[in-house]
């Protein structure tokens, strides 16, 4: 019996910010499923080349394209390269993100402008270009975060942008459905990555030793757990899911004070044996 070629066989994915973290993990996983990948990076060419090599080792095709997603001209360059190399797209994953972690009173005009350009405008422009290349239908997924629905220190600028992404997901899902294109978001919690390490290094931020015990799963998520969820939204099994924000946060957004972690002994939850 022939081996299963994988759900992504002969499919082409463009993943922004895919030289590291969630994007890198997803690119390699799609290659394991038979897919080919346009690897986007902003600065680190060596890391992007490693991902390309990893995709090729798994039997897929891949190219690395340097493009700053803040720039409309470079977004065009990225999608032009995808068209020239592959002629079409099946999956567009909007993963690249950047912002400033400051209190609202300290945000300057350039902080607001950059966050909008990098997180919101780039997604809309990228989706416009992706749809043109999805001649046989496709999937669009954007990476959001729990800052889109919860408020916590210094995250307003990025959290508001992520909320805008989730609103665009709903509108795109309706407009693109007649084209056979599903649009969804994956809303991640506290994920062990370079980004979370930077965020929890902000001066005055509570430490993870204080935060994690309040999460029902009592740990950080992994980039693979998020990438696996994105991958599910690209699979045929998720065909009837569109316009949704799928939460991957270990239960973080379902809890509220008073926290079980702060309760007295009579209300402490049982612990699983190690």
């Amino acid at each position: 019996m022939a081996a299963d070629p994988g759900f992504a066989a002969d499919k082409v994915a463009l993943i922004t910010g895919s030289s590291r973290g969630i994007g890198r993990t997803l690119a390699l996983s799609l290659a394991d499923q038979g897919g080919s990948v346009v690897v986007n990076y902003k600065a680190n060419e060596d890391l992007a080349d490693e991902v390309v090599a990893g995709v090729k080792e798994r039997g897929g095709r891949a190219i690395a394209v340097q493009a700053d997603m803040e720039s409309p001209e470079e977004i065009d360059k990225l999608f032009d390269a995808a068209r020239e190399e592959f002629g079409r797209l099946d999956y567009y994953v909007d993963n690249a993100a950047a912002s400033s972690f400051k209190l609202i009173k300290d945000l300057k005009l350039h902080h607001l402008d950059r966050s909008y350009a990098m997180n919101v405008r780039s997604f809309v422009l990228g989706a416009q270009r992706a749809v043109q290349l999805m001649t046989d239908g496709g999937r669009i997924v954007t990476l959001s975060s729990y800052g889109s629905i919860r408020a916590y220190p210094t995250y307003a600028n990025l959290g508001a942008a992520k909320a805008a992404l989730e609103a665009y997901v709903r509108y795109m899902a309706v407009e693109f459905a007649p084209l056979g294109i599903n649009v969804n978001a994956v809303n991640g919690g506290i994920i062990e990555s370079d980004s979370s390490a930077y965020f929890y290094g902000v001066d005055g931020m509570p430490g993870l030793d204080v935060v994690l015990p309040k999460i029902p799963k009592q740990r950080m998520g992994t980039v693979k757990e998020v990438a696996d969820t994105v991958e599910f939204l690209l699979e045929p099994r998720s065909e009837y899911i569109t316009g949704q924000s799928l939460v991957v946060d270990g239960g973080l957004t379902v809890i509220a004070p008073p926290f079980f972690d702060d309760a007295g002994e009579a209300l402490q939850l049982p612990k699983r044996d190690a």
Side-chain angles (χ1 to χ4, degrees):
M1 181 180 293
D4 184 349
F7 79 88
D10 300 321
K11 302 290 188 181
V12 180
L14 187 155
I15 308 170
T16 67
S18 45
S19 64
R20 58 191 177 91
I22 295 167
R24 177 190 185 100
T25 302
L26 178 63
L28 298 178
S29 184
L30 288 177
D32 285 333
Q33 291 291 330
S36 296
V37 186
V38 179
V39 177
N40 162 247
Y41 69 100
K42 179 179 178 179
N44 198 319
E45 183 177 6
D46 290 342
L47 285 180
D49 287 343
E50 288 177 9
V51 181
V52 168
V55 171
K56 291 179 177 178
E57 286 170 4
R58 290 161 170 81
R61 294 167 57 196
I63 58 170
V65 183
Q66 190 281 330
D68 184 346
M69 299 305 290
E70 289 182 55
S71 165
E73 293 76 19
E74 297 206 8
I75 292 172
D76 282 337
K77 180 182 78 171
L78 172 62
F79 282 88
D80 287 345
R83 186 191 67 242
E84 290 166 10
E85 180 70 21
F86 297 104
R88 72 173 208 283
L89 281 180
D90 301 284
Y91 312 132
Y92 168 48
V93 180
D94 173 60
N95 171 67
S99 191
S100 51
F101 298 130
K102 296 179 179 295
L103 298 177
I104 294 172
K105 68 180 180 65
D106 297 323
L107 291 172
K108 308 300 184 186
L109 182 61
H110 68 275
H111 296 136
L112 299 172
D113 288 346
R114 185 185 182 212
S115 191
Y116 171 76
M118 182 66 204
N119 301 288
V120 182
R121 186 178 71 189
S122 65
F123 175 53
V124 177
L125 295 178
Q128 290 173 337
R129 290 297 309 269
V131 166
Q132 295 170 8
L133 295 173
M134 291 179 174
T135 52
D136 295 319
R139 304 293 175 88
I140 296 174
V141 180
T142 187
L143 275 295
S144 185
S145 80
Y146 73 105
S148 67
I149 52 176
R150 296 290 187 270
Y152 47 93
T154 77
Y155 207 80
N157 198 18
L158 185 53
K162 295 296 189 182
L165 289 183
E166 293 186 17
Y168 266 113
V169 160
R170 293 188 288 273
Y171 282 96
M172 288 180 185
V174 174
E175 293 193 21
F176 299 162
L179 303 174
I181 298 170
N182 290 5
V183 187
N184 292 289
V186 171
N187 183 312
I190 302 175
I191 308 302
E192 190 170 5
S193 64
D194 293 344
S195 297
S196 62
Y198 180 81
F199 177 76
Y200 280 94
V202 171
D203 186 36
M205 193 64 63
L208 285 169
D209 59 329
V210 175
V211 174
L212 295 183
K214 299 187 187 314
I215 300 174
K217 295 293 284 186
Q218 297 194 348
R219 66 172 177 85
M220 303 176 80
T222 68
V223 294
K224 186 177 188 307
E225 287 169 323
V226 178
D228 284 350
T229 306
V230 176
E231 185 173 301
F232 167 69
L233 291 172
L234 304 180
E235 292 181 20
R237 291 184 298 170
S238 64
E239 163 57 27
Y240 206 55
I241 300 174
T242 195
Q244 304 303 307
S245 296
L246 197 54
V247 178
V248 184
D249 70 356
L252 173 62
T253 54
V254 301
I255 59 172
F259 297 107
F260 279 98
D261 184 59
D262 296 329
E265 184 176 350
L267 297 179
Q268 286 296 309
L269 297 175
K271 307 292 186 186
R272 182 175 61 181
D273 292 336

